[in-house]
Amino acid sequence: MKLRKQDQEFRNPRIFYADPKNVDLDRVLVVLFLWLKTGGMRPATIGRQKAEFEKVDVHFKRLAGLPGVTGFLENEEIARQWLETDVFDLVNRGRPTEAIASLRPLHLDAHKIRVAKYCRDYNFADALYAMLEHGEGNAHRELKAYLERGRQYQAGVRLDLETLTVLKLVEGVSDTHPSGEKITPYPPLCRGQSRVLCDDIERILSYKDVPRPVMIDYLRAILGLHLGTYTLRIGRQLAGWIRDCGSHPTCRSCPVYGNNADPFAACPYQVTFTTDMGGDYRSRMAQLAQEDAASEYAKLGDLVKSVFAMNQLLRYAREEHITDDPFEVPSLLATPSPEFEADFKAALKQIRSLNEEDGTLAPEIDAILNAGLSSFDTLIELVTHVRQAHHIKYLVQMLDKLFQKNSPFGVLVQGKSKVNPRRWHLGGRTLEVLVQLAVLRAKDTPAGRQFETEPILIEDFLIWVEQRYGFVIAPGVTSAGRKPVSVDEHRAFRENVRALKDRLREIGFYDDLSDAYNAQTIRPRYELRVEETAS
């Protein structure tokens, strides 16, 4: 069925910046670093690079000829393979059309060698920058300061080999300049998720002395996890606003802050993930995690429908000069005016006229048109019916990428057979990131908030990871967390906690030396201490 162009539009920066697509997170980071460098301003166009700029050979030869670089030409094959694997992000690898997408996101200047047509972020970087900029705190400034460390190489400055290579490669490459056009003029609808993200960024950057590639892996995991969770939360939020014919009062004055012990305690739109820590997809705990994942992905239809509804309400309010605030437009549904009904009745009439040449309408379309709904509800049901499958397909791909499915940094796994569907499962490196964050304690100093590490009890970690991220590993302690209702489920959760301890032991954070409650602690890998200053 044919629809008007304005009825099919899905992406709206006032609601959600990202355009749901199958995206590469490394390329998202490269563009995000560019926004950090330009202060959130779109860069001015500098023209298209020459075709040879896309080839590794050109950069290899230039790098080999730079002062201070030795051994590349003598070990050409090894050096070239290293560049292709660890320094450059390539498309069509191993084919005649192989080309550079960008440098790996190891430094703020990684964008200087970037081919825009291959390094596409589909506005995911816009969404993350909006969360960092509007989430309060100094996260985006601290992240920028960390990423530009060592911009000009100096003797005695400690840099890892990959970052030093990136700095050498971008020497003499023309830089971008801000154009004055803001890329994120509107704050995210869910301020709370943004604040927790900013708090996490500030926390993880306290480990600034870990190798740069390790820190980039940590940042990728944190940013992907928060943007994925934000997507699921915004689906609940918008659906709730449309259902209640008004934005929730709690959302208007969001009480969620990252430094709270239980950040989302007062959030009316809770998101939890029943998480399996074992490796057997046939176990009872895995089944619970599979059911929970299937339930979350099934709610994507509500997200699609709610976005279409919000887009229509914003269009109507803008044309009638009522408001352009997403927090205000849902209230138009509480007491629709005659003009409101007439506007959407006219829209339906235009859609009917577009499809007159096709003859009779499909039975399901005819059923929607004759269901006795209001003109607004009829239009939303019609557009959702026609476009939902398309958007859900890409939303599924988007969430799989953000949650890094089947990756050590992922929170989601899926087998190749139908009997092994998606389930929530923390990868080893994701567990490492969460532990690194959990063992940090904030301390106010004259220089500002700083962090130091201290051990944490297993039980406290289980509560913390559920309250902050929604991962339910033991019986739920939050109102939305899953609680066992049978003997089998009690046994499953108990075995799940045991599997968590085994995983922590494998990655070196935990030694079970005693059954005593206060002896079951997770130890920090890196010791951080805040220096006391004399008053």
Side-chain angles (χ1 to χ4, degrees):
M1 183 180 185
K2 297 177 183 176
L3 297 172
R4 301 181 306 172
K5 183 179 179 180
Q6 60 265 40
D7 297 328
Q8 301 181 54
E9 292 176 353
F10 187 80
R11 178 183 174 267
N12 185 339
R14 288 190 176 274
I15 300 171
F16 191 63
Y17 278 95
D19 184 13
K21 286 288 188 295
N22 190 351
V23 74
D24 186 299
L25 278 178
D26 273 353
R27 295 168 191 172
V28 173
L29 291 186
V30 170
V31 181
L32 175 63
F33 295 173
L34 174 57
W35 297 159
L36 288 170
K37 185 175 180 179
T38 61
M41 297 293 177
R42 201 167 298 281
T45 304
I46 58 175
R48 185 174 297 178
Q49 298 282 2
K50 295 181 180 179
E52 58 264 25
F53 188 78
E54 303 175 9
K55 302 302 179 182
V56 174
D57 280 347
V58 173
H59 298 283
F60 174 84
K61 292 174 182 176
R62 194 173 68 83
L63 177 63
L66 289 175
V69 178
T70 59
F72 268 62
L73 295 177
E74 293 81 358
N75 303 277
E76 183 174 349
E77 185 177 351
I78 295 173
R80 190 187 306 277
Q81 289 179 358
W82 174 70
L83 285 176
E84 293 175 349
T85 304
D86 293 351
V87 178
F88 285 108
D89 175 18
L90 303 179
V91 296
N92 304 322
R93 189 182 294 270
R95 301 177 184 174
T97 54
E98 178 181 277
I100 294 172
S102 69
L103 290 167
R104 296 287 182 188
L106 296 170
H107 194 272
L108 199 68
D109 286 336
H111 67 88
K112 287 187 176 181
I113 298 180
R114 167 177 168 260
V115 181
K117 64 181 178 180
Y118 297 133
C119 186
R120 301 190 63 183
D121 73 305
Y122 300 102
N123 303 108
F124 281 61
D126 298 17
L128 287 171
Y129 188 84
M131 294 176 75
L132 292 172
E133 183 182 37
H134 297 283
E136 302 180 4
N138 298 314
H140 66 296
R141 286 184 287 272
E142 291 185 16
L143 181 57
K144 179 182 177 181
Y146 171 80
L147 291 168
E148 64 182 355
R149 288 170 64 188
R151 170 171 287 180
Q152 298 297 329
Y153 176 68
Q154 298 171 350
V157 176
R158 296 178 62 185
L159 289 174
D160 58 272
L161 183 59
E162 291 86 355
T163 305
L164 178 58
T165 304
V166 168
L167 290 173
K168 283 289 186 180
L169 283 166
V170 299
E171 279 185 14
V173 178
S174 57
D175 207 347
T176 55
H177 302 281
S179 65
E181 179 189 352
K182 187 73 173 173
I183 60 163
T184 54
Y186 312 112
L189 285 188
C190 180
R191 288 287 187 90
Q193 192 73 49
S194 305
R195 291 169 182 160
V196 178
L197 167 62
C198 290
D199 190 68
D200 276 356
I201 294 295
E202 291 180 19
R203 287 172 177 271
I204 203 65
L205 288 177
S206 61
Y207 296 107
K208 56 182 177 295
D209 292 328
V210 303
R212 178 71 66 98
V214 175
M215 178 60 76
I216 297 300
D217 286 340
Y218 286 175
L219 290 170
R220 186 194 305 109
I222 291 170
L223 292 167
L225 172 60
H226 278 282
L227 187 54
T229 307
Y230 176 89
T231 303
L232 297 178
R233 195 181 303 277
I234 208 73
R236 288 165 164 77
Q237 185 175 336
L238 294 178
W241 289 6
I242 299 298
R243 182 181 61 250
D244 300 336
C245 300
S247 58
H248 200 285
T250 306
C251 295
R252 291 172 174 266
S253 54
C254 180
V256 177
Y257 287 89
N259 57 1
N260 292 344
D262 186 358
F264 295 99
C267 179
Y269 304 108
Q270 300 274 343
V271 178
T272 60
F273 311 101
T274 304
T275 308
D276 171 40
M277 296 304 299
D280 184 3
Y281 69 88
R282 296 162 297 186
S283 68
R284 179 60 181 144
M285 194 67 212
Q287 292 173 3
L288 297 177
Q290 289 165 359
E291 292 169 6
D292 193 80
S295 174
E296 285 296 338
Y297 276 72
K299 292 174 184 173
L300 293 178
D302 295 335
L303 171 61
V304 173
K305 184 176 179 180
S306 302
V307 169
F308 281 135
M310 287 292 291
N311 282 343
Q312 291 292 343
L313 291 172
L314 284 166
R315 177 195 60 78
Y316 173 80
R318 183 177 63 253
E319 291 176 355
E320 297 297 321
H321 306 288
I322 299 172
T323 181
D324 61 355
D325 187 353
F327 285 82
E328 299 295 336
V329 293
S331 61
L332 295 172
L333 297 172
T335 53
S337 63
E339 293 82 6
F340 182 86
E341 183 70 16
D343 183 272
F344 290 100
K345 189 173 183 180
L348 286 172
K349 187 175 181 181
Q350 289 182 33
I351 292 174
R352 282 179 179 272
S353 65
L354 285 174
N355 292 274
E356 284 179 350
E357 297 178 0
D358 298 336
T360 58
L361 297 173
E364 58 271 20
I365 300 295
D366 194 56
I368 292 172
L369 293 172
N370 298 307
L373 301 172
S374 67
S375 298
F376 175 80
D377 289 336
T378 301
L379 177 62
I380 299 306
E381 291 292 341
L382 192 62
V383 174
T384 303
H385 174 77
V386 175
R387 299 294 297 169
Q388 179 174 259
H390 170 83
H391 290 297
I392 287 180
K393 171 187 173 183
Y394 287 108
L395 279 166
V396 167
Q397 294 178 2
M398 165 184 158
L399 288 176
D400 284 352
K401 286 294 186 179
L402 291 176
F403 289 135
Q404 300 190 67
K405 186 179 76 173
N406 293 338
S407 159
F409 284 98
V411 298
L412 193 70
V413 294
Q414 181 181 14
K416 295 182 179 180
S417 67
K418 291 184 178 180
V419 296
N420 186 7
R422 289 179 184 84
R423 74 180 190 276
W424 302 117
H425 176 88
L426 299 183
R429 299 299 300 276
T430 299
L431 187 58
E432 176 185 335
V433 175
L434 295 177
V435 170
Q436 301 281 37
L437 292 169
V439 297
L440 290 170
R441 293 293 174 268
K443 193 170 185 179
D444 291 326
T445 70
R449 189 174 69 149
Q450 297 185 34
F451 297 94
E452 57 185 16
T453 54
E454 63 180 41
I456 181 174
L457 292 171
I458 286 281
E459 185 167 327
D460 291 342
F461 174 74
L462 290 169
I463 294 171
W464 176 85
V465 81
E466 179 181 348
Q467 291 176 339
R468 193 172 183 88
Y469 304 101
F471 295 120
V472 181
I473 299 171
V477 295
T478 60
S479 59
R482 180 156 190 158
K483 299 168 182 64
V485 295
S486 67
V487 174
D488 282 348
E489 291 188 8
H490 275 283
R491 185 183 300 113
F493 275 107
R494 189 166 57 250
E495 293 174 353
N496 204 41
V497 173
R498 189 178 299 118
L500 169 68
K501 293 178 181 178
D502 292 340
R503 299 274 303 283
L504 289 171
R505 189 181 296 110
E506 289 172 2
I507 58 178
F509 284 105
Y510 175 71
D511 281 329
D512 196 358
L513 301 176
S514 169
D515 291 335
Y517 164 81
N518 59 1
Q520 299 190 17
T521 59
I522 299 172
R523 301 184 314 277
R525 176 172 294 172
Y526 307 104
E527 185 173 344
L528 302 179
R529 287 288 173 264
V530 175
E531 294 183 4
E532 300 289 346
T533 56
S535 58

